[in-house]
Amino acid sequence: MIDLSHIEKIYDSAAGPVHAIKDISLHINESEIFGIIGLSGAGKSTLVRCINLLERPTKGTVTVDGQKMTAMNESELRKARKNIGMIFQHFNLLSTATVYENVAFPLQLVNTPKDEIKARVTELLELVGLADKAEQYPSQLSGGQKQRVGIARALANNPKILLCDEATSALDPQTTKSILQLIKDINAKLKLTVVVITHEMQVIKDICDKVAVIHEGVIAEQGRVLDVFTNPQQPITKEFISVLLSNDLPAGFDRNELSDSPYPGSILLLRLTFIGESANEPVISRLIKNYNTNVGILFGNLDDIKGVPFGRLVIGMDGEAPEIAKALDYLNSQKLKVEVIGYVRRHDSTHQ
Ligand SMILES: Nc1ncnc2c1ncn2[C@@H]1O[C@H](COP(=O)(O)OP(=O)(O)OP(=O)(O)O)[C@@H](O)[C@H]1O
Ligand SMILES: [Mg+2]
């Protein structure tokens, strides 16, 4: 549905050229929710604005729904952009117009007859749950309601694609959830292709099918959300994920005392990640039964990504070195990811 091929974007600024996008190629399938995550300044907004040619790439080609956007002139682009709705972090509503007028605006721009506008706006306001707010002004709405107006306006001309640039970044966590749910519902109902730009892994995890991590103008890593989430390859990806999954040591341990080899009083800490079926297998009870080691569970949580269970455990193990080695072999033979955190000493009141 969307094809970006070797996109490069250089801005001319007073301080010299800014190489915002270096060489990015991406393919986004029809009806999927595709997330693009990156730090501030990574080039996310630039990239998404290259999709509808609000920014013209310095190099590369953009193809949307079979049409080569980069080969179009301004009037062809205006027509092609009807196919692409967009919503923004700060909503960009007309403050002197009512909710109704805001949603009607893109329809007026393409000379839609008045009665058709009325029917369409009514339908859209119902879709986003604002049927009773038609005559209100943006200043009378909450942030979440403003973004609902933004979504209704973006959908006015029946686009096939919805671009969301930090659409929930100005909202509190609960409102964020409701807007993400609305985007998800719209994607399912209208089979829209959705591109979600964010700096929050939670947003990616909540609604995206695929994700591309962009860093300093290039793609660091991309793939299915489940794969990237459970098996990140690049440090920047790990950093985004670590915000959600605590990679800290459990309470009672001091990172300064972490060592690669055992020392008196230390135990071996392991982080186990279970995905899908293996989340249900009794690995820990077998570990305890079959090997002569002491095993304690220090931290655990269970989550899911697109309905696939995904659990993390931090366990502490102590015992003789050969037994620990055998236990590790057993864990590594199971369908789970085993990360050795290291040897560390427990500090709690009973030992002081
Ligand atoms: N119009 C412009 N002129 C010059 N430089 C620009 C322009 N727009 C963006 N840049 C620069 O391009 C780089 C990428 O900016 P961009 O806005 O795409 O990043 P971003 O990932 O969306 O960041 P944020 O998360 O802060 O929105 C930055 O270094 C930025 O300063
Ligand atoms: Mg941006």
Side-chain angles (χ1 to χ4, degrees), residues 44-46 165-166 197:
K44 307 181 294 297
S45 295
T46 303
D165 190 355
E166 301 276 5
I197 301 285

Side-chain angles (χ1 to χ4, degrees), residues 141-195:
L141 303 178
S142 69
Q145 290 168 335
K146 284 182 200 165
Q147 195 57 289
R148 286 171 188 270
V149 179
I151 291 171
R153 182 184 56 184
L155 297 179
N157 281 313
N158 273 314
K160 290 189 182 162
I161 293 166
L162 179 64
L163 307 178
C164 313
D165 190 355
E166 301 276 5
T168 57
S169 298
L171 305 175
D172 62 68
Q174 202 148 352
T175 310
T176 293
K177 285 245 176 283
S178 77
I179 293 295
L180 293 178
Q181 187 59 48
L182 176 62
I183 293 173
K184 212 165 155 176
D185 291 345
I186 288 168
N187 161 261
K189 206 167 178 175
L190 308 177
K191 304 278 171 258
L192 270 187
T193 305
V194 181
V195 182

Side-chain angles (χ1 to χ4, degrees), residues 11-13 18 20 38-47 55 165-166:
Y11 290 108
D12 287 319
S13 77
V18 179
L39 299 172
S40 183
K44 307 181 294 297
S45 295
T46 303
L47 187 66
E55 292 296 349
D165 190 355
E166 301 276 5

